[in-house]
Amino acid sequence: MEKFNKSHRIHIPPLLVLGFLLQFSSLHLSSSAYNFPDKYFINCGSNQDVSDNRRSFIGDENSGSLSFTKPSSSVESTNNSQNSNTSTLYNAARVFRQQSSYAFDATDVGNSTSYLVRLHFLAFASAVDLSSAVFDVSASGFLLLHNFTAKNYTNSPLVKEFFLPISTNNKNTKFRIYFTPQQSSLAFVNAIEVFPAPPVDFNLSGAIKVGSRIGSSSVLQTVYRINVGGQEIPSAGETIWRKWVQDDNFLDQTNNSKASQFYSSKPSYQSGYSEYVAPDLVYQTAREMKDNISVGSNITWGFTVNKSADHLVRFHFCDIISVSLNVLQFNAYINGNFKEEIDPNVGGQLAAPFCYDFVVGSHDSTVMSIGIGSAANLLGNKAFLNGLEIFEIKEGQAAIPIEEETSTNKIKTPVVIGSAVGGSVLICILVIGLFLFLRRRKTKPAEHSSWGHVPPYVGGGSSHSRISDPTINSSRVPNLHLGLKIPFAEIQLATKNFNSKLIIGKGGFGNVYKGTLVNGTKVAVKRSSSESGQGLPEFQTEIMVLSKIRHRHLVSLIGYCDERSEMILVYEFMEKGTLRDHLYSRDFPRLTWKQRLEICIGAAQGLHYLHKGSSSGIIHRDVKSTNILLDKNLVAKVADFGLSKSGPLDEFETHVSTNVKGTFGYLDPEYFRTEQLTEKSDVYSFGVVLLEVLCARPAIDNLLPREQMNLAEWAMKCKYKGLLEDIVDPSIKSQINPNSLRKFSETAEKCLQEDSADRPAMSDVIWDLEYSLQLQQTPVPREPHEDSTANASSAFIRHNVQRLPSLSTTVDGEDDSILLGADHDLLEMSASEVFSQLRDEGARAR
């Protein structure tokens, strides 16, 4: 493994504390060289000023020193029923029909070396179709957004956030943000934030390199900002409106770590650190290894990233778990093949924050693994982490047109003038500034770029990395399903007061208990944990989805309980546990290849019903082997609908824009990249499950070499090299008909196509898996080259599938609208029987 010594640690320039008065008379810490931002916050396309979370957004039609070029127009929302939780900031937008730019006065940047830029978008209903806009955004010569569209961002706003370097030449001119419509389209923006960032360095040239050649200044876009071991920190109460999310949903596993006790005192900030690096709450909580974990164990988090870009990764540490100094030393890991030794003894005292920065090179993978762990040759047997930030390094260049001296439109915005500073304080500032300048010249390398912080473009997954954001905003479960409510006392009785001996599983929501209701029904009881990264939105979604659907291959909801602040879900009991258990655990017998095919077919039928058979159309968003359960007859049922998204079928035929959610290792890379959800995202995740079934190994295995860590990437590389058989589960290798293997692997490959348009629908996946099963059962042996049905089978299946009813075998009698057809004879057929009829019918047609 690569090893760097601690001399590469990135130290952040000193931030000295001064007081300053805000409009709400609240006191905030600041650097002596940094003034708390009071500009520019722009309400675009409006003459109204809007106050939002301690910021005053000025209507861009008011007078001031702001200008933009080229003709433009303003539009207002015509949707009077717009989400009440959406700020009035999103009631207007400025629209551009040709390349235009906002120009900001760049003369007052102080000691900052970068701008913090936030762009707000909401394609609300108006006289102009904002959802049709396709455009680029650039600034400082860098391409920030390319072919960007806000289509279907109609219910909640999208905020893109960047750090851009400040050119020395720009300090006396204008800082411009360009909006360039594509072809005959348009560009728009609802709000803009531009202000000099605090002088908090992200020194790309000096950061520890992990397979990267980055060494000069670039634009940073925040991808993740994580409060490790703590609760979510909303942007509203943060110093410069950063948002920090919980780490629970990014954890590879939860049984080897624990959240540290809240540290009530203020962190002991040393020279160069303050709440501008990270807020107090980040350093007052941490995640640490449990006491009984063996030496050499790791805590690992997983993240989905842009595989074509380099990333800046910042680790935040603050030792709040030691009882004395010089007790702990441990390692930080990146992608399993890089290790850096961490010494938490900083400044000669405990609870002193510090950071490590790494620039991680692109490696043609959407997976980034971050870990911490003890080692046998280091002191102690503990490791901890307080916070984590991941930034994408954007290097795309953009052409900047020559600006005319006189803009066609001049729009000014008032500047809020702060309190005057006394002469003695001014002298102190000058002295301190000179000291910092001389210190920088002495300690900094010649090539240097300084960066600030920015709220996240949030993402993540469940047991590996659930990417969480609320999808339901109500505070209680709607009273639409009172018939499903089960009294808390009855659940206590069913689980023997949640006896730990009855725990049969643990997930992102909490513990799962085996129980027996008073009527004798065996159930699985899932009880929310206070340490869980999931909460009310997932709880509500699960109830809303499962109360409306019934299918043989979907787990049934028996009831729920929301008494005493409890969130409990009660399901039918699945005797055989999860598919993952039967693939990996030694406590379960190995499944035969035929059983695995039947399980895959059943799960595919359940997903197909969700996509096309339910009245509202549902995308699961968390398809994985732990969410496919098996009953006593090994019948597969899809479970865990906490992240599901429902909507009109015609809407899903294009896409739904949404904050990214899913599980690390299973997440559709196109969904992560575009934030546009389609049913094909489930297809991609199911493709990963197919490979799990074939190879009997996890989607992500951090113990394997880097090139083998991601199952989807590794299996496809093996298939292209003709080596797929080498990674097939040895326990079934001798059972598989070569033609069945070929068809099955082709199906998985189609599901894993990077472009969602190239992936099959779940109906096609069902037929392909059925055909793989037919090949497995074929008594006449065939050579692999004789299986030429990959294209032929798809041809006749697709020709007929449009007129078939749903393959559902169990329906809700109270809601016949959920059926695709009314032919009950066909509904009672098995998938194999329908497939056989199609095959015979196709043969007759030929």
Side-chain angles (χ1 to χ4, degrees):
M1 292 186 179
E2 294 181 76
K3 184 71 180 69
F4 290 80
N5 61 45
K6 295 190 292 293
S7 63
H8 288 271
R9 183 184 302 169
I10 303 306
H11 290 283
I12 301 176
L15 297 175
L16 303 179
V17 180
L18 286 178
F20 52 85
L21 188 64
L22 296 178
Q23 53 186 316
F24 296 109
S25 300
S26 61
L27 190 64
H28 294 264
L29 294 177
S30 174
S31 164
S32 60
Y34 182 71
N35 294 319
F36 190 80
D38 54 32
K39 65 175 185 179
Y40 290 96
F41 303 105
I42 309 302
N43 184 16
C44 301
S46 176
N47 60 5
Q48 300 295 317
D49 297 346
V50 175
S51 294
D52 183 82
N53 292 335
R54 297 180 290 114
R55 291 165 294 186
S56 180
F57 286 84
I58 308 301
D60 68 358
E61 294 182 359
N62 295 335
S63 60
S65 57
L66 170 72
S67 66
F68 60 85
T69 61
K70 307 294 183 183
S72 70
S73 60
S74 60
V75 294
E76 295 183 356
S77 172
T78 59
N79 184 4
N80 295 326
S81 61
Q82 187 168 305
N83 190 335
S84 59
N85 292 321
T86 301
S87 168
T88 55
L89 186 66
Y90 301 102
N91 287 341
R94 185 156 297 281
V95 176
F96 302 99
R97 299 286 182 177
Q98 54 185 302
Q99 186 180 67
S100 298
S101 68
Y102 273 93
F104 302 89
D105 186 357
T107 58
D108 184 19
V109 297
N111 197 38
S112 297
T113 57
S114 62
Y115 280 112
L116 174 59
V117 176
R118 296 189 183 110
L119 306 174
H120 298 248
F121 303 99
L122 178 66
F124 53 67
S126 69
V128 177
D129 185 8
L130 300 180
S131 65
S132 67
V134 180
F135 54 97
D136 292 350
V137 181
S138 59
S140 293
F142 290 93
L143 186 62
L144 307 184
L145 300 173
H146 179 56
N147 284 341
F148 173 76
T149 176
K151 185 174 184 179
N152 290 328
Y153 281 93
T154 57
N155 296 320
S156 59
L158 173 66
V159 181
K160 294 290 188 179
E161 302 158 324
F162 308 89
F163 279 99
L164 292 91
I166 294 176
S167 169
T168 303
N169 294 332
N170 279 346
K171 290 192 176 184
N172 296 315
T173 57
K174 297 284 186 179
F175 171 75
R176 297 183 183 274
I177 301 177
Y178 295 87
F179 296 84
T180 308
Q182 294 297 308
Q183 298 177 353
S184 60
S185 187
L186 56 91
F188 80 95
V189 62
N190 302 85
I192 300 175
E193 298 175 62
V194 175
F195 55 87
V200 179
D201 280 358
F202 286 124
N203 185 357
L204 299 185
S205 61
I208 299 173
K209 303 298 192 301
V210 184
S212 171
R213 298 182 301 274
I214 292 290
S216 60
S217 62
S218 299
V219 169
L220 297 182
Q221 179 179 358
T222 307
V223 184
Y224 297 99
R225 178 169 273 120
I226 312 297
N227 183 21
V228 179
Q231 298 298 310
E232 178 177 301
I233 303 173
S235 60
E238 220 269 356
T239 311
I240 51 173
W241 306 281
R242 295 171 293 194
K243 179 182 177 183
W244 301 72
V245 301
Q246 291 179 286
D247 72 313
D248 304 59
N249 295 321
F250 300 93
L251 279 169
D252 183 27
Q253 53 182 315
T254 59
N255 58 1
N256 64 346
S257 68
K258 64 181 181 180
S260 297
Q261 185 176 359
F262 183 81
Y263 182 76
S264 59
S265 300
K266 190 174 182 63
S268 302
Y269 290 111
Q270 303 297 298
S271 176
Y273 290 89
S274 76
E275 63 181 3
Y276 283 122
V277 179
D280 293 351
L281 288 175
V282 169
Y283 295 125
Q284 290 171 330
T285 56
R287 184 169 296 279
E288 62 177 301
M289 299 182 66
K290 288 184 176 178
D291 296 330
N292 59 349
I293 301 300
S294 60
V295 173
S297 298
N298 297 337
I299 305 174
T300 305
W301 296 263
F303 301 93
T304 300
V305 295
N306 181 352
K307 68 179 183 180
S308 301
D310 286 13
H311 291 81
L312 176 67
V313 180
R314 167 164 284 187
F315 289 74
H316 292 267
F317 298 104
C318 183
D319 189 357
I320 60 173
I321 69 173
S322 297
V323 295
S324 62
L325 291 171
N326 302 313
V327 174
L328 297 181
Q329 282 186 323
F330 53 92
N331 292 329
Y333 300 91
I334 297 178
N335 288 334
N337 60 357
F338 172 85
K339 179 176 70 175
E340 173 72 10
E341 183 178 319
I342 306 298
D343 180 4
N345 302 300
V346 176
Q349 59 182 353
L350 297 174
F354 64 98
C355 299
Y356 273 73
D357 285 350
F358 302 87
V359 174
V360 182
S362 60
H363 45 268
D364 197 32
S365 175
T366 59
V367 173
M368 181 182 292
S369 174
I370 302 294
I372 55 172
S374 60
N377 62 331
L378 296 179
L379 297 174
N381 186 26
K382 283 271 192 174
F384 69 88
L385 182 64
N386 303 77
L388 188 72
E389 295 175 280
I390 300 178
F391 301 86
E392 181 178 325
I393 301 173
K394 304 183 74 69
E395 295 188 279
Q397 301 295 310
I400 301 179
I402 299 175
E403 295 292 346
E404 298 178 3
E405 288 297 326
T406 304
S407 299
T408 55
N409 290 286
K410 291 284 185 179
I411 298 180
K412 299 181 179 180
T413 187
V415 179
V416 180
I417 305 299
S419 301
V421 180
S424 60
V425 175
L426 180 59
I427 294 174
C428 291
I429 292 175
L430 292 175
V431 171
I432 293 171
L434 179 60
F435 168 76
L436 293 177
F437 174 77
L438 293 175
R439 180 172 177 177
R440 284 195 176 202
R441 291 193 60 184
K442 181 178 179 180
T443 61
K444 297 282 182 175
E447 186 179 46
H448 174 74
S449 175
S450 183
W451 301 91
H453 287 259
V454 55
Y457 161 89
V458 181
S462 55
S463 65
H464 290 95
S465 97
R466 175 159 294 173
I467 301 170
S468 55
D469 75 296
T471 56
I472 300 177
N473 295 313
S474 59
S475 60
R476 299 293 299 168
V477 177
N479 291 327
L480 299 175
H481 311 290
L482 292 177
L484 293 176
K485 295 192 72 170
I486 299 177
F488 182 71
E490 183 175 345
I491 294 177
Q492 281 184 302
L493 181 64
T495 60
K496 298 182 179 179
N497 198 24
F498 301 101
N499 191 321
S500 60
K501 294 182 180 180
L502 295 177
I503 294 178
I504 57 176
K506 183 176 182 179
F509 190 79
N511 289 332
V512 182
Y513 300 82
K514 181 180 179 179
T516 305
L517 298 179
V518 291
N519 62 4
T521 303
K522 291 184 178 180
V523 292
V525 178
K526 185 159 65 172
R527 185 188 192 190
S528 176
S529 166
S530 59
E531 298 179 354
S532 167
Q534 301 181 39
L536 183 62
E538 290 81 7
F539 180 63
Q540 291 176 323
T541 300
E542 188 99 356
I543 296 171
M544 297 293 288
V545 170
L546 287 179
S547 63
K548 296 179 180 179
I549 59 177
R550 292 291 186 274
H551 190 276
R552 181 171 184 252
H553 294 292
L554 300 178
V555 70
S556 296
L557 180 69
I558 303 298
Y560 72 92
C561 175
D562 63 348
E563 297 177 21
R564 308 182 188 180
S565 300
E566 293 276 357
M567 292 187 292
I568 300 173
L569 296 165
V570 181
Y571 306 92
E572 62 174 315
F573 181 68
M574 302 294 285
E575 288 87 344
K576 298 296 185 180
T578 71
L579 172 59
R580 182 187 178 96
D581 291 336
H582 288 268
L583 294 176
Y584 312 144
S585 176
R586 296 179 180 179
D587 298 331
F588 291 81
R590 290 292 186 180
L591 297 167
T592 66
W593 179 239
K594 180 175 179 291
Q595 288 173 326
R596 299 185 194 202
L597 286 172
E598 290 171 338
I599 289 169
C600 290
I601 291 167
Q605 289 174 347
L607 291 172
H608 173 59
Y609 175 78
L610 287 178
H611 294 170
K612 301 300 183 184
S614 58
S615 58
S616 59
I618 297 169
I619 299 177
H620 189 282
R621 274 211 287 188
D622 201 19
V623 177
K624 56 186 177 183
S625 57
T626 52
N627 285 340
I628 297 174
L629 305 183
L630 306 175
D631 70 6
K632 63 182 179 179
N633 299 316
L634 293 179
V635 173
K637 301 195 178 189
V638 179
D640 197 347
F641 296 85
L643 297 186
S644 297
K645 187 80 173 179
S646 61
L649 287 173
D650 57 350
E651 182 180 85
F652 284 150
E653 288 174 0
T654 54
H655 65 256
V656 175
S657 297
T658 174
N659 287 347
V660 179
K661 291 184 181 181
T663 294
F664 179 52
Y666 299 85
L667 188 64
D668 171 14
E670 183 182 78
Y671 172 36
F672 169 77
R673 187 176 63 254
T674 65
E675 302 176 54
Q676 295 171 358
L677 178 68
T678 74
E679 63 187 38
K680 297 295 184 69
S681 298
D682 281 352
V683 174
Y684 181 92
S685 302
F686 189 69
V688 179
V689 172
L690 294 180
L691 293 180
E692 280 190 275
V693 167
L694 181 64
C695 304
R697 58 147 286 188
I700 299 294
D701 190 340
N702 293 301
L703 299 179
L704 292 175
R706 179 69 198 89
E707 67 275 7
Q708 301 178 23
M709 188 183 299
N710 185 319
L711 173 60
E713 296 172 358
W714 175 239
M716 289 301 98
K717 288 179 182 178
C718 291
K719 184 178 187 300
Y720 298 149
K721 295 177 181 179
L723 303 175
L724 184 60
E725 290 187 6
D726 293 348
I727 63 173
V728 172
D729 181 3
S731 70
I732 60 169
K733 186 177 293 187
S734 61
Q735 305 173 15
I736 305 179
N737 181 308
N739 292 317
S740 177
L741 173 61
R742 181 177 179 179
K743 186 63 181 176
F744 186 89
S745 64
E746 287 175 350
T747 305
E749 181 181 12
K750 287 189 288 185
C751 291
L752 294 171
Q753 293 299 303
E754 189 160 328
D755 188 340
S756 62
D758 296 331
R759 300 174 202 153
M762 286 309 303
S763 57
D764 293 326
V765 174
I766 293 171
W767 304 129
D768 287 344
L769 292 174
E770 281 281 357
Y771 192 74
S772 181
L773 179 60
Q774 294 289 329
L775 291 172
Q776 180 65 22
Q777 297 173 331
T778 301
V780 179
R782 301 181 183 180
E783 295 298 324
H785 69 270
E786 293 177 6
D787 179 21
S788 59
T789 59
N791 295 324
S793 63
S794 297
F796 71 73
I797 288 171
R798 290 173 182 167
H799 178 73
N800 294 279
V801 73
Q802 297 301 326
R803 57 186 176 85
L804 286 177
S806 167
L807 296 178
S808 169
T809 56
T810 306
V811 297
D812 185 348
E814 296 180 358
D815 186 7
D816 292 335
S817 65
I818 62 177
L819 298 177
L820 287 178
D823 193 330
H824 290 270
D825 291 334
L826 276 175
L827 286 174
E828 294 300 323
M829 285 184 180
S830 70
S832 297
E833 289 171 327
V834 176
F835 179 87
S836 299
Q837 287 197 8
L838 278 175
R839 184 181 60 183
D840 295 341
E841 186 176 314
R844 289 194 298 271
R846 288 192 295 272

